[in-house]
């Protein structure tokens, strides 16, 4: 079973961060939320494991044991 990787694992993180910010340029709040949802669904499909995606959701919500972030 695949588990969520919790250590830094992304190359060119600054470039990715910049593109995430630019993705929202010119969008209103509703459009921005829709863009985020589409990105999340695309990445979830790429991951291909509902268990990993659900773990990431719990982590993002701060509900993973030992995590308050």
């Amino acid at each position: 079973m695949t588990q969520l990787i919790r250590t830094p694992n992304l190359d060119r993180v600054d470039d990715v961060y910049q593109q995430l910010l630019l993705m929202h340029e010119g969008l209103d709040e509703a459009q921005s939320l829709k863009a985020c949802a589409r990105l999340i669904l695309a990445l979830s499909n790429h991951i291909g494991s509902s268990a990993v995606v659900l773990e990431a959701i719990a982590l993002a919500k701060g509900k993973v044991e030992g995590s308050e972030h």
Side-chain angles (χ1 to χ4, degrees):
M1 180 171 150
T2 304
Q3 292 185 322
L4 185 66
I5 298 170
R6 294 176 181 238
T7 56
N9 191 41
L10 182 62
D11 63 329
R12 298 179 50 191
V13 67
D14 291 335
D15 293 339
V16 173
Y17 181 74
Q18 181 180 12
Q19 290 304 309
L20 285 170
L21 294 178
L22 290 173
M23 178 177 78
H24 298 279
E25 271 191 14
L27 302 180
D28 63 26
E29 185 177 0
Q31 293 169 323
S32 183
L33 290 171
K34 287 179 184 179
C36 283
R38 287 192 300 270
L39 176 62
I40 291 165
L41 289 172
L43 293 173
S44 295
N45 183 67
H46 178 75
I47 291 167
S49 168
S50 60
V52 171
V53 173
L54 294 174
E55 186 180 348
I57 291 169
L59 179 65
K61 290 177 74 175
K63 293 185 177 179
V64 173
E65 186 176 319
S67 174
E68 296 294 327
H69 309 287

